[in-house]
Amino acid sequence: MRAILTYHSIDDSRSPISISPDQFLAHQRWFARRKVRVLPLADLLNHPAGGEDALANTFDDGFKNTLEPAASLLADGIPVSFFIVSRHVGSTNAWRGAGDPGIPTMPLLDWDDLERLKAQGAEIEAHTRTHPRLTSLSDSVIDEELAGSQSDLAARLGARASHFAYPYGDLDSRVAGRARKFFAHAYTTTFSVLGPEADPMLLPRLDMFYFRRHAGLETWGTARFSNRLRWIAAKRRIREFLTAKGR
């Protein structure tokens, strides 16, 4: 089994994008036991689907409170990748001036932080310039968000991002087609492990919000773990259906 894990903020707010520092530390201890291989994104995608179990760790948005936890993972030899909103580096996640409902406004990593993480081995990848809902934008503005974030990161960090995460998981075939112009791989919020024939522009991830309690990741590889994945995925599909129906 292969899977890509997603973290956002590490804080005690209990928000939909948060896990607590204690919960993250429990995850770190589980990674350190090396029962499952933790690989960089590109290595995971090239890892045989029928091979030994493996995962990759990703952090979306680049919250300041992830700096030390991520540095600790890297010091333990555990790879991490960050998806960064390039025009908000050193600012906050108030993407449209007031932020998203139910999500606390918090500081984001600055360029010095990103340079430090990159020097320690972190991969710094793209998450647009301003974190918009891409399906609402014209083709030219989508390209500005995608290519612009790639250019911003290259100018400041000296490396061209080849991986991209869709803000909010908001995409359609048009958005995915625009992403394909600039990136080798793009990541959704679809809650699933990686299948053997995963579309490189529609890669699923497991949001760690759902693994905040004891015996979450620790049950990896068991029937209990698989059943939990199916239950969470079904619940999310129902919620997405009801949300779309109510628009």
Side-chain angles (χ1 to χ4, degrees):
M1 180 168 62
R2 301 175 301 161
I4 303 164
L5 312 187
T6 307
Y7 294 94
H8 286 80
S9 177
I10 300 173
D11 68 77
D12 288 312
S13 70
R14 299 186 180 182
S15 84
I17 64 166
S18 305
I19 73 167
S20 74
D22 287 345
Q23 291 158 348
F24 184 82
L25 182 58
H27 290 189
Q28 181 175 352
R29 289 170 176 159
W30 182 77
F31 299 141
R33 290 200 290 273
R34 301 299 199 274
K35 291 187 176 181
V36 177
R37 292 185 67 185
V38 184
L39 301 173
L41 279 172
D43 291 354
L44 179 72
L45 298 175
N46 290 324
H47 186 69
E52 63 180 310
D53 285 1
L55 61 85
N57 283 319
T58 64
F59 290 81
D60 280 14
D61 302 335
F63 287 99
K64 189 84 167 181
N65 57 37
T66 64
L67 176 61
E68 295 306 327
S72 183
L73 289 182
L74 292 165
D76 282 346
I78 300 169
V80 300
S81 298
F82 280 85
F83 289 109
I84 296 298
V85 183
S86 62
R87 289 288 171 88
H88 281 257
V89 171
S91 182
T92 74
N93 60 315
W95 314 124
R96 282 155 299 281
D100 295 314
I103 304 299
T105 299
M106 295 173 286
L108 302 176
L109 298 167
D110 59 33
W111 290 111
D112 287 343
D113 297 328
L114 294 175
E115 288 172 356
R116 170 186 164 188
L117 288 165
K118 183 174 180 291
Q120 291 176 303
E123 296 177 337
I124 311 299
E125 306 292 349
H127 198 33
T128 70
R129 276 182 158 169
T130 65
H131 207 278
R133 292 189 178 274
L134 292 171
T135 57
S136 67
L137 306 179
S138 68
D139 287 357
S140 61
V141 178
I142 292 172
D143 288 355
E144 162 68 16
E145 286 284 346
L146 274 57
S149 64
Q150 194 176 54
S151 297
D152 292 342
L153 295 173
R156 294 301 301 258
L157 302 175
R160 182 180 176 85
S162 59
H163 300 261
F164 171 73
Y166 302 99
Y168 307 106
D170 179 55
L171 75 147
D172 53 21
S173 60
R174 181 176 67 96
V175 169
R178 308 313 293 180
R180 197 180 301 272
K181 293 176 53 182
F182 306 106
F183 301 99
H185 300 95
Y187 301 82
T188 70
T189 57
T190 300
F191 190 89
S192 176
V193 299
L194 282 171
E197 303 295 333
D199 186 323
M201 291 294 108
L202 300 173
L203 295 168
R205 295 187 285 172
L206 301 180
D207 193 326
M208 290 297 98
F209 171 81
Y210 296 99
F211 293 85
R212 295 168 296 157
R213 297 181 180 85
H214 180 67
L217 285 177
E218 294 86 351
T219 63
W220 179 286
T222 67
R224 179 180 177 184
F225 185 82
S226 297
N227 290 337
R228 179 171 173 77
L229 294 187
R230 285 192 288 269
W231 179 79
I232 294 169
K235 186 170 70 170
R236 285 167 60 98
R237 285 194 297 270
I238 292 170
R239 186 179 67 214
E240 290 164 4
F241 171 78
L242 293 174
T243 299
K245 189 176 180 180
R247 286 174 181 167

